[in-house]
């Protein structure tokens, strides 16, 4: 933990996060009103409401995206367990932008990373990778404009790139960005995530890339930007769009598979309607008053209320409806129980639709075929870092 009373790294998020302070620590920029206005319309609520609140080189990406020039998005997943609501934020946002601007979207899966940093066996990570991939496919990306990469399955392209980048990441760079490595696999991994972030440019040629992620992932972007600057591969430094976290049900902090207190459940993408209602009713931290009478008199605090925060972050897209909910909660007309019902209903409906699309998928192998890098794309990326394959020799 830093002197500021919180920690945000890709491997630890704890304490009460001061999001402005994180930007100072990381050296990223707050999104400006002008930048928000430059996003393609309708501007996604995640941007309008500043859930994505900061970034790096957002302007360059927006210029290319709005001018119809080549641009790409990279966002990914480390398959360490079942996916929860927090994980869908960058994915559904990437899909929205792809629909608006026809962006290329690259979606890497760091199964190696999760083996290095968790206690899961390779078999467990493999099983989670398959489950998570189905969730990713259920989001509904355009197969012609999207590539899905799994580190260990696409090692023929990821490993040569990561190897090319690894000498640019010294031990002290690692420590400054992430703390002590758990093992040598972990120490190598930033070169792998750098390969993910530069891959669209290595395949398609130099162009602006945006990486929408939770702010915890920003150290990977920083390390990659340094590599891009040092290695002179004729690539742009990847830009980033950084989000605040969807809160855990028990209050501020990051929704994750293990809650702040360790006892509060998380809402998973596989939860059914009844489970969502039960979790919200029993566990969602309320900004309301202890009794109905007091609530009617004094009103509630939407900023502290997790149900309101979930609606605000993602699950109520209509600004007018959200304003009304906030007003009525503040003045006591809307009770905590009623607010919980609204949040639970919105989340359950979202999950119903997600799960319906997931059920309709074909086998994973059949689905993934349409999203794999082609041989030509792999070869192109390898050549761009100076690697030549020995196909003719083996
Ligand atoms: P992972 O699997 O830990 O998280 C995937 C994405 O979900 C975001 N996230 C959240 N966002 C909002 N609220 C939350 N409560 C919440 N919890 C998680 C994370 O910030 C992340 O954006 N190393 C990566 C996977 C990866 C990757 C990449 C991501 C590999 N290559 C390239 C982006 C770009 C990881 O372990 O993410």
């Amino acid at each position: 933990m830093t002197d500021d009373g919180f920690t945000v790294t890709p491997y630890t998020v704890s304490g009460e996060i001061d999001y402005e302070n994180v930007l100072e620590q990381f050296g990223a920029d707050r999104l400006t009103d002008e930048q928000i206005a430059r996003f393609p319309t309708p501007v996604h609520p995640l941007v309008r409401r500043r859930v994505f609140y900061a970034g790096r080189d957002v302007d360059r990406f927006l210029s290319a995206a709005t001018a119809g020039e080549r641009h790409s998005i990279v966002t990914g997943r480390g398959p360490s367990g079942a996916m929860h609501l927090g994980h869908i934020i960058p994915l559904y946002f990437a899909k929205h932008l792809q629909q608006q601007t026809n962006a290329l979207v690259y979606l890497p899966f760091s199964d190696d990373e999760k083996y290095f940093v968790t206690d899961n066996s390779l078999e467990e990570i493999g099983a989670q990778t398959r489950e998570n991939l189905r969730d990713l496919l259920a989001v509904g990306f355009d197969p012609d404009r999207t590539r899905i990469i799994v580190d260990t399955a696409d090692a023929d392209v990821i490993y040569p790139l990561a190897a090319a980048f690894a000498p640019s990441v010294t031990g002290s760079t690692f420590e400054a960005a992430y703390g002590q490595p758990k093992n040598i696999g972990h120490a190598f991994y930033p070169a792998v995530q750098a390969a993910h972030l530069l891959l669209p440019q290595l395949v398609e040629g130099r162009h602006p890339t945006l990486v929408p992620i939770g702010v915890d992932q920003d150290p990977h972007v920083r390390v990659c930007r340094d590599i891009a600057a040092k290695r002179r591969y004729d690539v742009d430094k990847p830009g980033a769009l950084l989000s605040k976290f969807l809160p855990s049900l028990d209050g501020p902090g990051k929704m994750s598979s293990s809650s702040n207190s360790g006892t509060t459940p998380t809402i998973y993408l596989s939860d059914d309607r009844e489970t969502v209602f039960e979790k919200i009713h029993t566990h969602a931290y309320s900004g309301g008053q202890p009794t109905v009478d007091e609530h009617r008199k004094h009103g509630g605090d939407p900023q502290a209320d997790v149900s309101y925060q979930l609606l605000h972050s993602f699950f109520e897209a209509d600004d007018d409806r959200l304003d009304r909910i906030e007003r009525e909660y503040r003045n006591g007309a809307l009770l905590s129980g009623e607010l919980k019902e609204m949040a639970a209903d919105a989340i359950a409906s979202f999950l119903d639709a997600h799960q319906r699309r997931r059920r309709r998928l074909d086998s994973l192998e059949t689905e993934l075929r349409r999203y794999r890098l082609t041989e030509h794309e792999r070869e192109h990326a390898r050549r761009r870092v100076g690697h030549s394959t020995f196909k003719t020799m083996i």
Side-chain angles (χ1 to χ4, degrees), residues 357-372:
R357 289 192 298 276
R358 195 182 194 276
R359 274 195 301 272
R360 277 200 228 114
L361 294 171
D362 210 325
S363 76
L364 198 52
E365 284 66 20
T366 306
E367 291 285 345
L368 280 178
R369 219 168 282 141
R370 302 186 297 161
Y371 296 89
R372 304 269 292 159

Side-chain angles (χ1 to χ4, degrees), residues 28 41 80 89 129 140 146 154 158 179 220 233 264 284-285 328 337 387 394:
T41 48
S80 54
I89 295 230
T129 301
T146 305
D154 292 298
I158 293 300
H220 287 307
Y233 288 126
T264 310
Y285 184 81
E328 292 182 357
H387 179 267
I394 50 175

Side-chain angles (χ1 to χ4, degrees), residues 76-78 86 113-114 189 193 196 214 216-217 246 254-255:
R77 163 75 181 140
E113 176 190 26
K114 294 299 159 158
Y189 178 72
Q193 192 144 334
H196 299 157
D216 60 321
Q217 293 290 310
L246 216 61
K254 172 178 177 245
M255 179 175 277

Side-chain angles (χ1 to χ4, degrees), residues 10-11 13 19 46 51-52 73-81 83-91 106-114 117 132 149 151 189 192-197 210-218 220-221 241 243-248 253-257:
Y11 304 106
V13 176
Y19 284 102
L46 285 165
V51 179
F52 280 112
I73 298 170
V74 182
T75 194
R77 163 75 181 140
S80 54
M83 287 173 72
H84 58 67
L85 292 183
H87 295 131
I88 61 174
I89 295 230
L91 294 177
Y106 276 53
L107 302 165
F109 259 59
S110 52
D111 55 342
D112 51 347
E113 176 190 26
K114 294 299 159 158
V117 303
N132 288 189
I149 298 100
D151 284 341
Y189 178 72
V192 176
Q193 192 144 334
H196 299 157
L197 304 187
L210 189 73
V211 184
I213 38 176
V215 70
D216 60 321
Q217 293 290 310
D218 183 61
H220 287 307
V221 177
L241 195 59
S243 83
K244 297 181 180 173
F245 298 117
L246 216 61
S248 142
K254 172 178 177 245
M255 179 175 277
S256 63
S257 304

Side-chain angles (χ1 to χ4, degrees), residues 337-363:
E338 294 167 334
L339 181 56
K340 285 186 175 197
E341 290 277 311
M342 285 178 173
D345 184 52
I347 293 169
S349 302
F350 172 85
L351 290 180
D352 275 348
H354 178 86
Q355 291 162 10
R356 219 174 308 123
R357 289 192 298 276
R358 195 182 194 276
R359 274 195 301 272
R360 277 200 228 114
L361 294 171
D362 210 325
S363 76

